[in-house]
Amino acid sequence: MMYVSYIPQIMNNLHGMKGTPIQPMVAAINCTLWVAYGLLKKPKIDWPIVVANAPGIVFGLAACITAL
C-alpha cells in the first residue's frame, strides 16, 4: 500500500504540478535492491520479499520520471 500512495503524486505530476523526484527515486532503488536480494537468496527465492517490493520499483520509477 505504501507504494500505491505514489499514484496521486504521479497524477499531479502529469497535470503540471511537479513534485520532487528524489524520494521516489530512492524508494525505487531501495525496492530494486530488496527484489535482487529476494531473487538471489539461497537456497530458494524469498517470494514474499520480491512480491512486496516489486510495486515499489514500478510506482517509484513512474513518480520519479513524471516529476522530471
Side-chain angles (χ1 to χ4, degrees):
M1 291 308 296
M2 181 172 77
Y3 304 119
V4 175
S5 69
Y6 282 127
I7 292 175
Q9 180 179 351
I10 294 167
M11 297 305 293
N12 285 339
N13 291 341
L14 293 173
H15 288 104
M17 297 178 285
K18 302 287 186 184
T20 178
I22 294 171
Q23 197 277 333
M25 178 182 60
V26 172
I29 292 168
N30 178 55
C31 290
T32 301
L33 293 172
W34 275 111
V35 167
Y37 169 79
L39 291 173
L40 298 173
K41 191 166 181 217
K42 300 295 181 200
K44 62 180 185 169
I45 294 174
D46 195 340
W47 285 110
I49 289 176
V50 173
V51 171
N53 286 285
I57 298 170
V58 174
F59 290 119
L61 286 176
C64 180
I65 290 168
T66 59
L68 298 176

